[in-house]
């Protein structure tokens, strides 16, 4: 059954790609593994890249935020990662978030504030600074009905300063993933990502051109298959494209973000979650989007 499941994933992705616009696909331009001798290190589920691509914040699913610098050559090619500091995020009572084991999954930055989603509680916390005590963002009613261990997986910020929140599962194989959009005062449910079984959403980011990108993963029981889709954002999501995938050489991808290396050089960075398991890796994979986009 696992073999047939993998074949089904390839067929589904191929059909979806055939329906999407014909475009040049992103090119892998750099890859780096990241290892630290620290029991707290690993389990990364989201990243926020600096505008110049030289540093990043990475969110662990155990409530830790890590600041790191990215080693790059003269051409901007990714060569390695250097740890700068580890920050223990707080909960709304001022206690270390790590002690609550709340499965921190999503990360987004809007106007200097950081937003973190907690899949275990289906909550969103807003931080004025990294060492601040956060406040809870009011969430829409539908979030309370999400499946166990399949809640708020992805956060993203669009160009208008709206927060986008997407769950890992939609509840049914034929049901789209809801994309809740918050403008700072109220949520709307106008956006939906079509579900393409067997893939589940692991993260999302809005590219400099305004398109919404979602990373998706399927675990076959032996390995992880990953793909990335993108959509034009308007009143609804349109112009679906298969950007990357399906691939089995990127490990358990759970994080995505972008930076501009030049006017016609947009980089897409993916990072994998090692699940604190010795057979897996924390792997950063960087792609260059086609200049025509």
């Amino acid at each position: 059954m696992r073999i047939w499941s993998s074949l089904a994933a390839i067929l589904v992705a191929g059909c979806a790609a055939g329906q999407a616009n014909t475009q040049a696909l992103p090119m892998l331009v750099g890859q780096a593994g990241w290892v630290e001798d620290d029991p707290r290190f690993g389990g990364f589920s989201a990243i926020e890249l600096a505008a110049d691509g030289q540093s990043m914040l990475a969110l662990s699913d155990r409530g830790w935020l890590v600041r790191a610098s990215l080693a790059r050559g003269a051409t901007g090619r990714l060569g390695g990662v250097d740890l700068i500091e580890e920050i223990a995020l707080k909960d709304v009572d001022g206690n270390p978030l790590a002690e609550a084991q709340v499965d921190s999954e999503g990360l987004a930055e809007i106007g200097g504030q950081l937003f973190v989603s907690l899949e275990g509680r289906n909550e969103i916390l807003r931080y004025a600074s990294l060492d601040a005590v956060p406040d809870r963002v009011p969430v829409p009613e539908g979030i309370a009905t999400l499946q166990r261990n399949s809640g708020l997986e992805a956060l993203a910020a669009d160009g208008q300063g709206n927060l986008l929140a997407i769950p890992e599962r939609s509840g049914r194989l034929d049901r789209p993933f809801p994309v809740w959009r918050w403008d700072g005062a109220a949520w709307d449910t106008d956006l939906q990502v079509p579900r393409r079984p067997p893939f589940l959403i692991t993260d999302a980011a809005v590219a400099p051109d305004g398109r919404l990108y979602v990373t998706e993963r399927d675990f076959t029981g032996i390995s992880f298959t990953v793909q990335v889709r993108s959509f034009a954002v308007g009143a609804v999501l349109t112009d679906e494209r298969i950007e990357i995938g399906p691939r089995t050489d990127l490990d358990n991808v759970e994080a995505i973000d972008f930076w501009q290396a030049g006017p016609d050089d947009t980089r897409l960075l993916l990072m994998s979650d090692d699940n604190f398991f010795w057979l897996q890796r924390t792997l950063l994979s960087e792609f260059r989007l086609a200049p025509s986009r």
Side-chain angles (χ1 to χ4, degrees):
M1 290 299 293
R2 289 171 181 162
I3 295 174
W4 287 112
S5 179
S6 298
L7 289 173
I10 294 171
L11 289 172
V12 169
C15 291
Q19 297 168 358
N21 290 353
T22 302
Q23 297 284 337
L25 296 178
M27 176 187 301
L28 182 65
V29 294
Q31 219 169 26
W34 189 12
V35 178
E36 299 288 344
D37 186 17
D38 186 333
R40 299 171 299 185
F41 179 84
F44 295 115
S45 299
I47 52 175
E48 279 290 314
L49 279 171
D52 62 3
Q54 300 298 309
S55 63
M56 70 175 181
L57 290 174
L59 178 68
S60 165
D61 55 22
R62 294 185 179 177
W64 289 89
L65 199 62
V66 173
R67 190 193 304 275
S69 62
L70 302 177
R72 296 186 178 279
T75 62
R77 183 180 180 87
L78 179 66
V81 190
D82 295 306
L83 176 67
I84 298 175
E85 64 176 329
E86 294 174 295
I87 303 154
L89 292 174
K90 296 181 175 70
D91 65 16
V92 294
D93 297 317
N95 300 314
L97 192 62
E99 295 179 359
Q101 294 293 311
V102 291
D103 201 6
S104 43
E105 290 285 343
L107 180 67
E109 186 273 330
I110 301 176
Q113 299 184 98
L114 281 180
F115 294 80
V116 174
S117 65
L118 309 180
E119 185 182 14
R121 296 179 180 174
N122 285 319
E123 294 180 356
I124 299 175
L125 303 181
R126 175 173 48 193
Y127 293 83
S129 64
L130 298 184
D131 60 352
V133 174
D135 65 311
R136 288 191 182 96
V137 174
V139 295
E141 294 181 3
I143 287 178
T145 65
L146 295 175
Q147 293 168 260
R148 180 179 175 83
N149 196 36
S150 300
L152 288 176
E153 184 77 15
L155 292 183
D158 67 15
Q160 290 71 51
N162 298 313
L163 182 68
L164 308 179
I166 311 175
E168 181 179 357
R169 294 179 184 269
S170 63
R172 275 202 329 253
L173 293 178
D174 60 350
R175 178 185 295 164
F177 297 97
V179 181
W180 289 287
R181 179 169 50 187
W182 188 60
D183 63 4
W187 292 89
D188 71 57
T189 56
D190 299 335
L191 306 181
Q192 296 182 326
V193 172
R195 185 160 175 174
R196 305 299 184 203
F199 291 97
L200 299 176
I201 288 179
T202 60
D203 199 14
V206 175
D209 65 1
R211 291 182 67 86
L212 173 67
Y213 282 65
V214 294
T215 58
E216 298 180 299
R217 169 197 62 207
D218 175 48
F219 180 54
T220 66
I222 300 174
S223 64
F224 294 94
T225 303
V226 173
Q227 72 173 15
V228 176
R229 286 187 289 160
S230 77
F231 303 86
V233 182
V236 295
L237 297 182
T238 58
D239 187 27
E240 177 182 346
R241 299 176 184 170
I242 301 291
E243 301 282 358
I244 298 172
R247 298 179 66 135
T248 58
D249 59 342
L250 304 177
D251 213 293
N252 176 32
V253 169
E254 289 217 13
I256 182 175
D257 204 7
F258 296 87
W259 69 286
Q260 287 287 147
D264 294 317
D265 190 355
T266 301
R267 306 287 179 92
L268 180 165
L269 183 65
L270 302 177
M271 189 162 76
S272 65
D273 176 353
D274 68 354
N275 288 311
F276 298 95
F277 184 47
W278 66 275
L279 281 176
Q280 292 181 246
R281 299 173 293 169
T282 298
L283 180 66
L284 286 80
S285 304
E286 190 161 87
F287 295 79
R288 178 186 288 119
L289 299 189
S292 59
R293 295 185 175 228

